[in-house]
Amino acid sequence: MSTARKSRRELMVQLDQALQDVSGTGVLFSHAAAERMGVNATDLECLGVIQRGPATAGQLAVATGLTTGAITGVIDRLERAGFAKRVADESDRRKVLVQMTPEAMARAAPLFEPMRRATAQVLSHYKDDELALILDFLARAQSASLEVLAKVRTQLKIKGK
């Protein structure tokens, strides 16, 4: 690798490629893990959201960029697989929350543990302020990605697909 300082443009191109590479690997990993669990990748991604804590269908839709109609199908499939269940919200009985089942956690944890360890190893090389910067970048990138995803879906609806 050259010791010459890279221009901003070169850095942006390299970062764009690196993000595409990481994203692509994440998609492939998600598909492989979903296959091992017997669900599709979209359902597994939604399971990942509720793994952080129970969520309403609307919250799942916002977190994933999916429509509430699509989320209903996801929840139905996850329930049939025994990986999620609908429960009444204790603070507002009109709300229904979706939560992960212990079976799902038991099946998913061994699949994701090697990736969690690999990520922890990579992150161990960074100082706290660098970790905060990475976290800020990822949060902004996620938000921007969801905005673009919504626009793409809107364009598909306009074209009738």
Side-chain angles (χ1 to χ4, degrees):
M1 183 161 155
S2 170
T3 58
R5 185 176 163 110
K6 295 179 184 178
S7 71
R8 181 173 182 86
R9 170 135 175 70
E10 291 172 315
L11 289 169
M12 295 293 277
V13 167
Q14 288 182 334
L15 281 167
D16 184 60
Q17 184 60 57
L19 286 168
Q20 288 179 42
D21 292 347
V22 168
S23 176
T25 301
V27 168
L28 295 173
F29 181 81
S30 185
H31 278 274
E35 187 176 331
R36 290 276 306 272
M37 289 189 65
V39 298
N40 69 48
T42 300
D43 295 354
L44 183 64
E45 291 303 316
C46 289
L47 193 60
V49 172
I50 63 173
Q51 180 265 330
R52 297 177 211 133
T56 65
Q59 290 168 330
L60 280 172
V62 169
T64 62
L66 296 171
T67 65
T68 52
I71 289 295
T72 298
V74 167
I75 296 167
D76 290 345
R77 289 189 298 275
L78 289 173
E79 275 193 316
R80 279 194 302 273
F83 296 150
K85 64 181 179 177
R86 289 173 169 99
V87 296
D89 184 336
E90 291 181 13
S91 63
D92 182 349
R93 306 280 300 158
R94 296 169 294 175
K95 279 188 192 174
V96 175
L97 298 173
V98 182
Q99 68 181 31
M100 190 174 195
T101 64
E103 178 188 345
M105 189 65 90
R107 295 234 350 242
L111 294 173
F112 287 91
E113 183 58 24
M115 188 64 77
R116 190 201 63 72
R117 280 194 314 269
T119 300
Q121 175 60 32
V122 169
L123 292 174
S124 72
H125 299 281
Y126 295 93
K127 298 175 185 158
D128 289 353
D129 61 331
E130 294 169 323
L131 292 174
L133 177 66
I134 293 167
L135 185 59
D136 176 69
F137 167 76
L138 290 173
R140 290 172 187 249
Q142 175 66 6
S143 179
S145 296
L146 286 171
E147 287 178 24
V148 171
L149 178 59
K151 287 177 184 173
V152 168
R153 289 209 166 106
T154 298
Q155 290 169 350
L156 289 174
K157 286 180 191 175
I158 292 170
K159 291 182 180 182
K161 295 182 180 182

